[in-house]
């Protein structure tokens, strides 16, 4: 199983009737009968409340979780038949709080996957510079810092740079901007939305923030208790009548002065 | 107790005291090296094996509860590792030092920010890469804190090893107790305390340098 995720192949992701339950005595169903096609180049936002199964769907894509029923195809191969290490090296992953390695410098964090893939040092260094520029950090200023010497927003930028370093055709993002203050969050969302169009990657983005979903998504999939309850392009999504959609859209309107 | 006589006792016997201190230190260093070579790899091993974890940590805790003099006594009749002398003492010291090293290695390796481990796994690091490139470097300060505790315990317990003929600073203490001589007891106790403080200070320095915030 030496096949890598290849940039040339179609970066389709497909969920075929996928269920997942936690393997404890309760057998709690986290995801139930999900079927979903994510075509090449789409930015799919998985929207839902906490516990709706968004993160589980994400982890099913890179094989950190395997389905109890059904299958997930990445580049037309089920995740169960992929070598998990090869699969994950071809999929970028960004999480809340970034999860940067505190004992590595920014450059070492960003260069991690290339170094695992045994690129030569000069190529890694070049790539690290390029990635830091891409996320708006000056390499001369930031490359040698440690994560503790960065602000929350800078850390998240490094997290994005690290996920993109080996040029993976697929990018998974789990509430990457969730822990940031509103101003920094809006800034990163805007920059990232511009970046998305340049990258042309297949992106699956998890959030509970409808605003963020509307800004970034080419399609929004709404989850409720492990089921898909709506799937639509952003403009269309706002017009849907499903109660859970209404619950989310009503959270958008703010009335200044109205008593809570 | 007369400080004057104690001082002159120290000066008169400084070669013997220095010799015993070096013996003591040798005993401690050998025991610590063995304990580290057992405790750290074992701690790394039990991270992945919950069944073994309970057994290993339990056994190490039991050794720690046995009074040191009794442990030395128990070991004397055991063939190969037992008997009278340094070898038996080193075995007992290793058993004592094991728990803090083993426990801190385990705690250090498992007490890592879950987000960091999740990222490591998601980026396609193998189990071994996660252990050696992420968990171990991040756990190093905690592991060293365990080694530091173990070293201080070992320096103290090693004085009792003189009871089974292992030499070291305990020789003065036992002789002093038998002869009711404060100067003799202090000739063993003071250098042992100085060794413990010194070890604590130096290892503490190293620990702070390795700490990753």
């Amino acid at each position: 199983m030496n096949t890598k995720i290849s940039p040339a192949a179609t970066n389709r992701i497909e969920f075929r009737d996928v269920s997942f339950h936690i393997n404890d005595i309760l057998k709690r169903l986290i995801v139930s009968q999900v079927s979903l096609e994510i075509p090449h180049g789409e930015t799919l936002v998985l929207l839902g409340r906490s516990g709706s199964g968004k993160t589980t769907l994400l982890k099913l894509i890179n094989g950190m979780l395997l389905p109890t029923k059904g299958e997930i195809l990445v580049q037309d191969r089920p995740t169960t038949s992929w070598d998990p290490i090869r699969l994950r090296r071809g999929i970028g992953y960004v999480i809340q709080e970034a999860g940067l390695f505190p004992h590595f410098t920014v450059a070492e964090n960003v260069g991690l996957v290339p170094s695992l893939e045994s690129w030569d040092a000069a190529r890694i260094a070049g790539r690290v510079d390029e990635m830091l520029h891409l996320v708006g950090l000056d390499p001369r200023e930031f490359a040698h810092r440690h994560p503790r010497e960065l602000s929350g927003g800078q850390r998240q930028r490094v997290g994005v740079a690290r996920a993109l370093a080996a040029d993976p055709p697929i990018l998974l993002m789990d509430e990457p901007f969730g822990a940031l203050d509103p101003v920094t969050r809006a800034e990163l969302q805007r920059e990232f939305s511009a970046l998305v169009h340049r990258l042309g990657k297949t992106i699956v983005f998890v959030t509970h923030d409808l605003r963020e979903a509307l800004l970034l998504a080419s399609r929004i999939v709404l989850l409720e208790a492990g089921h898909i309850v709506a799937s639509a392009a952003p403009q269309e999504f706002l017009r849907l009548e499903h109660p859970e959609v209404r619950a989310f859209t009503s959270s958008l309107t703010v009335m200044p002065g109205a008593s809570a | 107790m007369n400080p004057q006589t104690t001082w002159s006792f120290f000066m008169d016997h400084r070669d013997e005291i220095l010799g015993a201190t070096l013996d003591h230190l040798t005993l401690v260093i050998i025991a610590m090296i063995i304990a580290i070579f057992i405790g750290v790899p074992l701690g790394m091993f039990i991270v992945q094996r919950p069944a073994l974890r309970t057994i290993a940590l339990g056994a190490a805790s039991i050794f720690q509860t046995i009074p040191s003099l009794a442990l030395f006594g128990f070991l004397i009749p055991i063939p190969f590792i037992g008997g009278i002398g340094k070898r038996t003492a080193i075995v007992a010291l290793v058993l004592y030092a094991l728990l803090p090293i083993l426990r801190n290695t385990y705690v250090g390796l498992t007490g890592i920010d879950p987000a960091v481990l999740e990222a490591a796994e998601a980026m396609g690091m193998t189990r071994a890469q996660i252990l050696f490139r992420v968990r171990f470097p991040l756990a190093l300060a905690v592991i060293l804190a365990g080694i530091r505790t173990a070293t201080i315990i070992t320096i103290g317990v090693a004085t009792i090893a003189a009871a089974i003929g292992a030499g070291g600073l305990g020789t003065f203490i036992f002789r002093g107790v038998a002869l009711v001589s404060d100067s003799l007891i202090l000739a063993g106790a003071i250098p042992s305390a100085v060794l413990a403080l010194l070890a604590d200070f130096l290892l503490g320095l190293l620990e702070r340098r390795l700490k990753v915030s």
Side-chain angles (χ1 to χ4, degrees):
Chain A
M1 265 190 273
N2 282 321
T3 10
K4 286 186 186 186
I5 286 223
S6 60
T10 57
N11 300 305
R12 257 174 91 253
I13 302 167
E14 188 183 349
F15 285 75
R16 281 191 185 157
D17 195 26
V18 171
S19 295
F20 177 83
H21 62 66
I22 293 180
N23 206 9
D24 62 6
I25 20 171
L26 295 170
K27 303 270 180 224
R28 274 169 300 161
L29 215 55
I30 307 297
V31 166
S32 180
Q33 294 170 312
V34 165
S35 290
L36 179 64
E37 258 195 79
I38 309 167
H40 173 83
E42 182 169 59
T43 303
L44 182 94
V45 172
L46 294 170
L47 183 68
R49 307 179 190 221
S50 307
S52 58
K54 329 181 272 296
T55 298
T56 305
L57 285 186
L58 213 60
K59 288 184 174 176
L60 284 163
I61 296 172
N62 69 358
M64 282 168 76
L65 297 173
L66 294 174
T68 317
K69 255 186 59 201
E71 58 183 7
I72 299 103
L73 305 180
V74 176
Q75 293 190 346
D76 300 323
R77 268 177 56 193
T79 50
T80 44
S81 81
W82 275 96
D83 167 8
I85 303 300
R86 292 257 55 89
L87 177 69
R88 290 171 198 160
R89 297 242 175 115
I91 300 180
Y93 195 76
V94 188
I95 51 177
Q96 199 175 337
E97 312 279 5
L100 297 181
F101 300 116
H103 57 307
F104 284 1
T105 61
V106 166
E108 288 167 335
N109 267 289
V110 175
L112 182 74
V113 181
S115 88
L116 292 175
E117 294 284 278
S118 349
W119 293 16
D120 62 72
R123 189 169 162 222
I124 295 175
R127 187 68 183 169
V128 167
D129 273 17
E130 189 188 337
M131 287 300 106
L132 288 176
H133 278 302
L134 187 73
V135 297
L137 295 173
D138 181 356
R140 282 166 304 178
E141 194 184 339
F142 291 98
H144 299 288
R145 290 202 196 173
H146 279 85
R148 63 174 175 276
E149 298 162 314
L150 302 176
S151 71
Q154 289 164 345
R155 250 178 254 162
Q156 213 45 263
R157 288 169 192 268
V158 176
V160 173
R162 180 176 67 175
L164 293 173
D167 201 17
I170 297 170
L171 190 59
L172 306 179
M173 307 186 84
D174 191 355
E175 300 192 32
F177 311 131
L180 303 174
D181 66 79
V183 179
T184 311
R185 188 189 309 151
E187 198 177 288
L188 259 72
Q189 284 168 345
R190 269 196 309 275
E191 285 181 37
F192 184 70
S193 126
L195 197 61
V196 163
H197 298 292
R198 281 166 53 198
L199 293 172
K201 295 186 187 299
T202 305
I203 298 173
V204 184
F205 192 108
V206 161
T207 185
H208 54 239
D209 177 356
L210 178 59
R211 251 173 233 279
E212 189 168 70
L214 293 170
L215 179 69
L216 298 174
S218 55
R219 182 159 57 118
I220 299 173
V221 166
L222 182 66
L223 288 162
E224 187 184 11
H227 293 270
I228 294 179
V229 294
S231 169
Q235 282 316 310
E236 211 183 311
F237 185 85
L238 291 172
R239 291 193 293 268
L240 296 176
E241 288 301 329
H242 189 281
E244 185 69 359
V245 176
R246 296 259 61 95
F248 268 91
T249 46
S250 68
S251 74
L252 273 184
T253 28
V254 180
M255 297 285 213
S259 61
Chain B
M1 180 180 15
N2 183 345
Q4 209 75 57
T5 47
T6 302
W7 179 249
S8 51
F9 179 87
F10 269 50
M11 293 321 285
D12 292 345
H13 298 85
R14 57 174 183 267
D15 289 346
E16 282 169 66
I17 294 172
L18 197 67
T21 308
L22 287 178
D23 273 0
H24 200 87
L25 203 59
T26 313
L27 214 56
V28 170
I29 289 172
I30 293 172
M32 283 308 299
I33 289 172
I34 298 172
I36 291 168
F37 271 88
I38 297 172
V40 175
L42 191 60
M44 292 167 87
F45 190 68
I46 61 173
V47 169
Q48 322 272 10
R49 289 174 183 68
L52 217 75
R53 173 186 321 161
T54 325
I55 299 170
L57 288 172
S61 307
I62 289 169
F63 291 133
Q64 199 98 88
T65 62
I66 304 173
S68 44
L69 199 52
L71 185 57
F72 287 122
F74 286 143
L75 287 174
I76 291 175
I78 297 175
F80 302 115
I81 58 166
I84 296 287
K86 286 201 192 316
R87 195 178 48 198
T88 314
I90 288 168
V91 173
L93 293 177
V94 169
L95 292 179
Y96 266 103
L98 217 48
L99 181 66
I101 297 175
L102 185 64
R103 193 176 43 202
N104 276 46
T105 303
Y106 174 72
V107 169
L109 291 174
T110 49
I112 290 165
D113 180 2
V116 170
L117 295 176
E118 188 187 330
E121 195 192 346
M123 286 193 298
M125 291 179 96
T126 63
R127 257 179 188 227
Q129 285 166 339
I130 293 174
L131 182 61
F132 289 103
R133 295 180 64 172
V134 181
R135 282 187 195 262
F136 194 72
L138 289 176
L140 211 52
V142 180
I143 295 173
L144 204 76
I147 292 174
R148 184 174 162 201
T149 310
T151 307
I152 294 155
I153 293 173
T154 306
I155 291 170
V157 174
T159 55
I160 301 169
I164 55 165
L169 292 164
T171 321
F172 291 119
I173 299 176
F174 278 105
R175 226 184 281 159
V177 171
L179 299 173
V180 204
S181 158
D182 288 343
S183 298
L184 259 171
I185 294 176
L186 288 174
I190 292 175
S192 159
V194 170
L195 279 184
L197 289 171
L198 214 63
D200 189 39
F201 174 73
L202 291 175
L203 290 171
L205 222 60
L206 193 60
E207 193 186 314
R208 272 190 293 283
R209 287 198 52 179
L210 290 174
K211 191 164 275 168
V212 185
S213 53

